[in-house]
Amino acid sequence: MSLVFARFDLQSWLPRTQTLLPLAFIVVIGVVLPVPGMAIAASAIVTMLLVPTPFLGDERGRLDTLYGTLPVSRTSIVVGRTLAIVALNAIAVIVANASTLLVALARGGSPDPQILLLVNAGAFALVGLAVALQLPVFFRIGYSRGRLMAYAPALVIAGLAWIGQETGLITSNVAPPAPIPVLAAIGFAIGLIGIIAGAVVAARLYRDRELR
Amino acid sequence: MTDDTIRTAAHDPVRVEALGIQREGFRISDVSFSVPRGGVVGMVGPNGAGKTTAIRALLGLVAPDAGTVRTFGCAPGSPEALARIGIVLDQPTAAPEWRVDSIGRRLAPFYAEWDDALLRDMLDRLGVPRTQRVGELSRGQGVKLTLAAALAQRPELLILDEPSSGLDPASRRQIGDVIRDFMIDPDHAVLFSTHITTDLDALADDLLVLVGGRVAYRGPLHEATETFAIARGAGSPPREHVLGVQRSGAGWTALVRMEDSAVFDAGTVIDTASIDDIVIHLGAEHQGVAA
């Protein structure tokens, strides 16, 4: 039933202008900014910004109450929405990588595959972080009461970047601390763990939520 | 209790025993009732009596603090139970931008028995424009859409929360006709709440009166008007044998038990009580107690 709900969920909010415009924004970034990987970074930012969107739609359409009356477990709803967000991220990543490659080809170059791998892994880690922070809050208290959480991933990332700079971990002059495939694996692992942890915590919190 | 009655009770679509829910500024206490197969139970009561909360507890949307709630023998809100219940809440639970003719495509995958042809037939019968968006529908059309979608699930139990509130008489009659058609199947059951007591006369077999979060009356509808009477008099109302009093000008009306009607003096007129009389006077008594 999680897949059924994921499909239902995507049908509800993916075709909206407010979802499709940010996806177009990724292409614009890929074209306008010549640095390879910027569109991929933009895909992560777009996904992070769009995580609250379905919860906003739930409140506007009283869909929370509908979910409570569907013959589906609350866990299936959480897993289904997580899958829908992952699907949105997959679309954003495909758009980002395609525009990166096409722009590079149009300019007569080819981006470094290792850089692309690393940027994709970093972007996925950010998405995992956003899901881990936002899903539990939105599932527990809804969009209206939890909307400040929409900014939480950006604040956490900015905080981590500042700490990295202050401690010398982030500089442009040093070699990577580990081989790029290892760093990429760590990035993908962080993303995956974030998504799973977010869904598990959200399922526990949503199970006891009263839907009025 | 015979084996047959035990089996019948076990299969009641709804069984509620000693339900208790306490939230800030609101309480339901010791509410018990059941909805048998083939039965239509109408729930009435003043605003804030607990009707919607009791219905939401049946659906698992609100967690009880005390008592037992079972729908088809399952815990409320379990997918097994919800698959057998068609639900019509006081507002359509659909996104405003959804087109009416997309509802079937969206909801069908969740229900094994979904009948898309029935949905289309019901929408046409009830006059819900299929090409419009949900947000463009009137309140009445929204209720009819929700009812049509609930019936397309092929449920065994219909639960309706104030389905006729704010609707014109023609729409109320349409909804009543649909519910009567649903009840042609003897295995079906209906629980509905309403403010409009004429709906009860038209539909309900059993009456559940909730006042102040408690059951004020539970039993066959026809017995309610035989159980209670209205006493009318002038001056000060009596203090004993009175279930609820309303004052009007120099006079008063009181809800009394029919069996107590003989104890009033000759100056007191005893009339048959309507369902409205019962609800209004029991509600007035609750407010008096609360004050």
Side-chain angles (χ1 to χ4, degrees):
Chain A
M1 273 295 174
S2 297
L3 285 174
V4 172
F5 187 84
R7 183 166 168 262
F8 167 85
D9 207 28
L10 283 171
Q11 284 177 342
S12 298
W13 52 265
L14 186 61
R16 289 183 188 159
T17 310
Q18 68 193 88
T19 312
L20 296 175
L21 271 182
L23 292 176
F25 168 76
I26 296 169
V27 179
V28 172
I29 292 291
V31 172
V32 172
L33 298 177
V35 183
M38 289 307 287
I40 297 164
S43 75
I45 292 166
V46 163
T47 305
M48 287 160 53
L49 291 175
L50 287 179
V51 169
T53 302
F55 295 94
L56 173 62
D58 291 348
E59 290 192 357
R60 284 185 176 162
R62 295 187 77 216
L63 297 183
D64 270 331
T65 310
L66 173 66
Y67 303 156
T69 60
L70 288 174
V72 179
S73 71
R74 299 266 181 111
T75 301
S76 295
I77 289 170
V78 172
V79 174
R81 170 144 299 168
T82 307
L83 291 174
I85 290 169
V86 169
L88 168 75
N89 181 237
I91 294 168
V93 166
I94 289 167
V95 169
N97 281 282
S99 58
T100 300
L101 293 173
L102 289 174
V103 168
L105 282 174
R107 288 179 173 155
S110 63
D112 183 345
Q114 287 221 323
I115 294 294
L116 287 189
L117 179 68
L118 190 59
V119 176
N120 271 297
F124 190 64
L126 295 182
V127 169
L129 183 68
V131 168
L133 287 171
Q134 295 186 77
L135 272 198
V137 175
F138 288 131
F139 266 113
R140 181 63 186 175
I141 60 176
Y143 177 81
S144 291
R145 291 168 62 202
R147 60 183 176 273
L148 286 178
M149 280 307 290
Y151 307 107
L155 291 174
V156 170
I157 290 161
L160 290 175
W162 180 79
I163 291 168
Q165 282 188 330
E166 289 297 305
T167 55
L169 284 172
I170 301 175
T171 64
S172 56
N173 299 324
V174 293
I180 284 179
V182 173
L183 291 176
I186 292 171
F188 284 121
I190 290 171
L192 194 61
I193 290 167
I195 290 167
I196 293 171
V200 169
V201 175
R204 290 183 69 88
L205 294 174
Y206 189 53
R207 194 171 52 200
D208 301 326
R209 180 179 167 192
E210 295 201 338
L211 301 171
R212 290 173 176 273
Chain B
M1 192 180 268
T2 67
D3 284 351
D4 278 343
T5 55
I6 291 169
R7 191 158 47 243
T8 303
H11 284 77
D12 278 347
V14 173
R15 285 193 74 79
V16 177
E17 287 170 14
L19 172 65
I21 297 173
Q22 177 134 23
R23 298 292 181 272
E24 193 177 342
F26 177 80
R27 188 170 65 177
I28 282 182
S29 306
D30 199 26
V31 170
S32 299
F33 65 96
S34 62
V35 181
R37 286 185 187 277
V40 180
V41 175
M43 192 192 291
V44 290
N47 288 334
K51 303 185 295 293
T52 296
T53 304
I55 283 178
R56 287 180 175 256
L58 288 180
L59 302 175
L61 301 175
V62 174
D65 297 315
T68 311
V69 178
R70 286 286 178 269
T71 46
F72 295 103
C74 303
S78 68
E80 298 78 19
L82 289 173
R84 301 164 76 177
I85 305 175
I87 299 154
V88 181
L89 298 178
D90 54 348
Q91 288 178 34
T93 45
E97 68 270 19
W98 290 1
R99 284 166 57 106
V100 170
D101 57 8
S102 76
I103 298 283
R105 174 171 50 79
R106 292 173 192 275
L107 297 183
F110 294 104
Y111 297 94
E113 305 288 326
W114 184 271
D115 187 338
D116 217 41
L118 177 61
L119 174 66
R120 288 193 298 273
D121 288 348
M122 290 301 304
L123 291 174
D124 292 343
R125 175 179 166 185
L126 295 171
V128 182
R130 285 201 252 156
T131 53
Q132 279 197 324
R133 296 188 186 279
V134 172
E136 297 166 349
L137 299 178
S138 68
R139 172 173 157 70
Q141 288 171 327
V143 171
K144 290 172 185 175
L145 166 65
T146 313
L147 177 60
L151 290 169
Q153 300 162 25
R154 292 281 183 198
E156 295 166 56
L157 167 68
L158 261 185
I159 294 181
L160 307 98
D161 187 15
E162 310 263 3
S164 53
S165 174
L167 301 192
D168 60 71
S171 294
R172 291 215 307 271
R173 175 168 292 187
Q174 276 185 318
I175 288 175
D177 289 344
V178 169
I179 293 173
R180 270 188 291 275
D181 288 350
F182 175 75
M183 287 307 299
I184 289 173
D185 187 327
D187 277 340
H188 287 175
V190 174
L191 170 68
F192 71 99
S193 69
T194 185
H195 273 111
I196 301 166
T197 48
T198 50
D199 290 347
L200 294 168
D201 292 329
L203 293 169
D205 305 316
D206 289 310
L207 176 66
L208 180 70
V209 182
L210 287 182
V211 176
R214 288 179 173 275
V215 175
Y217 174 80
R218 182 184 68 223
L221 180 70
H222 66 89
E223 282 184 14
T225 50
E226 294 166 7
T227 302
F228 299 107
I230 286 291
R232 301 176 199 281
S236 299
R239 290 173 179 271
E240 293 188 357
H241 304 292
V242 166
L243 302 171
V245 177
Q246 283 230 308
R247 294 165 202 274
S248 54
W252 52 267
T253 61
L255 185 73
V256 300
R257 292 196 178 279
M258 189 66 87
E259 66 205 35
D260 295 333
S261 57
V263 304
F264 295 96
D265 59 38
T268 303
V269 177
I270 303 294
D271 281 335
T272 308
S274 67
I275 302 297
D276 268 340
D277 289 330
I278 295 168
V279 173
I280 289 167
H281 285 81
L282 288 174
E285 178 64 13
H286 166 69
Q287 285 164 3
V289 170

